[in-house]
């Protein structure tokens, strides 16, 4: 049972290292390929060398990713609570666009008034 547990733990560690290799944005493609080949061809030695050489960065990358996810979640909650779409235009933006179309002669006075009333009503 102990050997099975250690075997499963080894695979978890191996997948975390491979995931960290591909998650690191500062590492180039050649370095990623080299580390991946090293970890796959000599798994025990490769993982231990990776942990010694880049172990501190793994933790920093994990923290950075969690902070980005938390920030994205907070901004989503704030936008949902405010009731405005995340990327949608505000009424002022829509009115400015309509005024630009009217000034350039793309829409008539009647079309402009109908669209403006629709924006202000909605």
């Amino acid at each position: 049972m102990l050997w099975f547990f250690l075997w499963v733990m080894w695979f978890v560690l191996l997948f975390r290292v491979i995931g960290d290799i591909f998650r690191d944005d500062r590492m180039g493609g050649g370095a990623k390929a080299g580390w991946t080949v090293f970890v796959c061809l000599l798994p025990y030695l490769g993982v231990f060398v990776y942990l010694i050489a880049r172990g501190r960065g793994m933790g920093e990358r994990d923290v950075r990713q969690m902070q980005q996810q938390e920030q994205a979640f907070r901004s989503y909650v704030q936008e949902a609570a405010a009731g405005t779409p995340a990327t949608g235009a505000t009424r002022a933006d829509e009115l400015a666009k309509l005024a630009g179309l009217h000034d350039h002669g793309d829409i008539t006075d009647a079309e402009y008034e109908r669209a403006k009333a629709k924006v202000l009503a909605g």
Side-chain angles (χ1 to χ4, degrees), residues 11-105:
F11 276 107
V12 169
L13 183 61
L14 181 66
F15 288 130
R16 276 197 43 92
V17 166
I18 291 173
D20 186 66
I21 290 171
F22 288 104
R23 184 177 52 213
D24 190 3
D25 294 334
R26 290 179 279 169
M27 192 184 323
K32 288 180 181 184
W35 276 111
T36 303
V37 168
F38 185 47
V39 166
C40 288
L41 290 181
L42 300 170
Y44 293 108
L45 181 64
V47 167
F48 291 134
V49 170
Y50 187 85
L51 289 175
I52 291 169
R54 301 183 47 88
R56 180 179 301 235
M58 284 178 72
E60 293 169 357
R61 283 184 289 281
D62 282 342
V63 168
R64 192 176 334 120
Q65 182 182 16
M66 283 187 271
Q67 288 172 343
Q68 289 172 348
Q69 288 176 344
E70 181 178 352
Q71 180 60 33
F73 176 74
R74 286 179 186 265
S75 65
Y76 171 75
V77 168
Q78 288 173 350
E79 290 166 0
T84 59
T87 59
T90 62
R91 287 183 183 177
D93 293 337
E94 291 180 29
L95 288 174
K97 188 192 315 183
L98 282 173
L101 290 171
H102 183 254
D103 291 342
H104 288 281

Side-chain angles (χ1 to χ4, degrees), residues 91-121:
R91 287 183 183 177
D93 293 337
E94 291 180 29
L95 288 174
K97 188 192 315 183
L98 282 173
L101 290 171
H102 183 254
D103 291 342
H104 288 281
D106 294 332
I107 58 175
T108 65
D109 291 336
E111 291 172 331
Y112 172 72
E113 292 300 325
R114 278 194 308 259
K116 185 172 90 170
K118 186 176 180 181
V119 169
L120 292 175

